[in-house]
Amino acid sequence: MIKYIPKEFKTILNKYRFIDSWFWCRYSINPYNGCEFACTYCDSRSHKYHLQPEFDQLIYVKSNVGAMLDNRLRRARTLLPDVVAIGGTCDAYQPAEASHKNTRQCLEVLLKYHYPVIISTKSTLILRDLDILSRIAEDSWCAIGITITTLDRKLAVFLEPRAPFPEKRLNVVKEIKERCPEIQAGVNFIPVVPFLGDDEKNMGEVVLGTKMAGADFILFGGGMTLRDNQASWFLKRMSEGFPHLVEKYEELYQGKYTSAEGYRGRYEPGKSYLKQIHRKMLELCGKHELAFRLKRYIPEDFRKQNYLVAQKLLDESYLSQMLGRPWTKTFWAGQNINNLGESIEDIMRKGELRRIRNVDPAIEAYILNLLGTRNGW
């Protein structure tokens, strides 16, 4: 039986040192501690998140989240409006939200202070809040990613035991686009689960289903993680439901699992496996004319050109990473430009682009071309 326990927390808003370049978020909010959907692969079971062992049975409902967030933003001296990801170690629209409405409270405050929002969820409950989400989209920016790993109902029940069936989730994407076209809505095909969701049939069905739902994008991630508690939980479930696959996971991740000692091995699959999955997904996205990157929020202040240049660099580094090419220098150049405290145009006029960390002669020339022609915008 699921237990809800109110609990006071010291903070509600987390700020990242560098943006998450997949979801373009600078901040995050977890309205709850724990998640009822009990997804077999969920990384939030890992030690690094310091969540309760009864992760999917004991849900801490954070107290006074609206007042806490309002106080934080009202008194902020250095925070600038930027994308807030709601949910991460929890699903913001898990069943607890129906009665406690912590997520909705946060949305009301974020709209008040003109903060853009991105939400990843498996829940149909998000449709309840389209009124406020559409207002956020019109005021600044709003994106919603509905997570789907398979359209096979039986497999979905194994992977995501308490989440709505995948066809219902696709209908959520369709309804959002029909009712609120101003909201950027699509599918998070994350993770692509090895040996269960990485065959051509499953990937093709998810991409086609996304396209038929009228989605703006599909984000995908072939590198499902296996880490400490999360890995042990996942492989325990696999040993119960698909025991013949445990050895394949051990080989793919170069690790070892026992019920007594848990899992010891690599965090993610090898590069050759990732390249294979990502190439196929890029091919499917091209075939169905689906974007695999989000259109990011662009502020109307000194950061505008910085964000536009950073997006070009980070998009390029993402594609290079997917294809197994060198990508880190471009990535960090984009991240450092994104964090500038002044306009990159002012830096360019002073002839100081090379002073930005990771901007080498080739990247400098690329930036000068972007700022000179603006063709890339």
Side-chain angles (χ1 to χ4, degrees), residues 266-284:
R266 285 172 41 165
Y267 171 65
E268 62 182 2
K271 291 182 180 179
S272 61
Y273 171 84
L274 294 176
K275 190 188 299 186
Q276 176 186 345
I277 298 301
H278 294 152
R279 283 185 181 276
K280 183 58 185 177
M281 282 302 302
L282 290 170
E283 178 185 322
L284 287 167

Side-chain angles (χ1 to χ4, degrees), residues 22 189-193 219-224 274 277-278 318 322:
W22 279 42
F189 187 15
I190 302 172
V192 180
V193 182
L219 304 184
F220 58 86
M224 188 189 81
L274 294 176
I277 298 301
H278 294 152
Y318 170 88
M322 293 299 102

Side-chain angles (χ1 to χ4, degrees), residues 55-308:
F55 175 77
D56 53 20
Q57 300 290 330
L58 179 61
I59 310 300
Y60 289 117
V61 180
K62 298 187 177 183
S63 303
N64 302 315
V65 293
M68 284 179 64
L69 183 59
D70 190 283
N71 186 57
R72 176 75 175 94
L73 297 182
R74 176 170 47 83
R75 302 174 69 176
R77 294 291 180 265
T78 60
L79 298 184
L80 292 172
D82 212 330
V83 177
V84 180
I86 304 184
T89 59
C90 72
D91 192 307
Y93 284 96
Q94 61 182 293
E97 173 62 18
S99 55
H100 295 283
K101 299 182 179 180
N102 274 11
T103 298
R104 182 159 184 108
Q105 291 179 54
C106 291
L107 291 174
E108 291 169 347
V109 175
L110 293 171
L111 174 61
K112 175 181 176 181
Y113 291 98
H114 310 290
Y115 276 66
V117 167
I118 186 166
I119 298 175
S120 298
T121 183
K122 296 183 177 79
S123 178
T124 59
L125 183 58
I126 194 170
L127 296 174
R128 181 201 66 187
D129 289 346
L130 286 187
D131 59 334
I132 191 168
L133 290 166
S134 65
R135 290 168 63 195
I136 290 172
E138 292 170 349
D139 180 70
S140 56
W141 182 93
C142 181
I144 298 170
I146 304 298
T147 301
I148 296 174
T149 55
T150 181
L151 298 186
D152 183 313
R153 180 181 281 204
K154 184 177 179 181
L155 179 57
V157 169
F158 174 79
L159 291 173
E160 301 141 355
R162 303 192 197 120
F165 291 129
E167 63 269 23
K168 291 186 176 181
R169 294 181 233 165
L170 277 180
N171 286 336
V172 169
V173 177
K174 183 177 181 181
E175 186 166 345
I176 292 171
K177 292 311 302 178
E178 289 175 349
R179 290 172 54 186
C180 305
E182 63 276 10
I183 295 174
Q184 199 175 172
V187 165
N188 295 341
F189 187 15
I190 302 172
V192 180
V193 182
F195 311 120
L196 292 178
D198 63 353
D199 60 281
E200 190 166 339
K201 180 178 182 293
N202 188 69
M203 290 193 291
E205 287 176 349
V206 172
V207 174
L208 178 59
T210 301
K211 179 67 176 181
M212 296 299 291
D216 294 308
F217 62 85
I218 182 168
L219 304 184
F220 58 86
M224 188 189 81
T225 61
L226 285 181
R227 177 168 46 196
D228 51 69
N229 277 359
Q230 173 240 357
S232 297
W233 175 261
F234 176 80
L235 291 169
K236 176 179 181 294
R237 294 278 289 131
M238 291 301 300
S239 67
E240 297 166 350
F242 298 89
H244 62 288
L245 293 181
V246 173
E247 187 175 341
K248 289 190 174 184
Y249 279 101
E250 290 176 332
E251 181 180 351
L252 180 63
Y253 287 81
Q254 297 181 9
K256 186 66 178 176
Y257 167 75
T258 64
S259 57
E261 297 183 7
Y263 170 76
R264 293 181 182 178
R266 285 172 41 165
Y267 171 65
E268 62 182 2
K271 291 182 180 179
S272 61
Y273 171 84
L274 294 176
K275 190 188 299 186
Q276 176 186 345
I277 298 301
H278 294 152
R279 283 185 181 276
K280 183 58 185 177
M281 282 302 302
L282 290 170
E283 178 185 322
L284 287 167
C285 288
K287 175 183 177 181
H288 294 287
E289 299 182 326
L290 262 175
F292 51 86
R293 295 283 284 168
L294 286 166
K295 295 179 181 177
R296 78 175 301 188
Y297 162 71
I298 304 295
E300 292 296 329
D301 55 31
F302 76 90
R303 298 172 292 166
K304 181 174 183 178
Q305 300 304 329
N306 304 5
Y307 277 33
L308 288 167

Side-chain angles (χ1 to χ4, degrees), residues 302 306 342-352 371:
F302 76 90
N306 304 5
E342 61 180 312
S343 170
I344 194 170
E345 291 187 306
D346 292 339
I347 296 172
M348 177 188 68
R349 280 190 283 268
K350 292 185 287 187
E352 296 179 350
L371 294 175

Side-chain angles (χ1 to χ4, degrees), residues 298-329:
I298 304 295
E300 292 296 329
D301 55 31
F302 76 90
R303 298 172 292 166
K304 181 174 183 178
Q305 300 304 329
N306 304 5
Y307 277 33
L308 288 167
V309 171
Q311 178 176 3
K312 297 291 286 187
L313 291 169
L314 291 168
D315 282 347
E316 285 202 12
S317 73
Y318 170 88
L319 187 57
S320 295
Q321 186 179 14
M322 293 299 102
L323 296 174
R325 301 170 182 165
W327 59 275
T328 55
K329 179 169 282 191

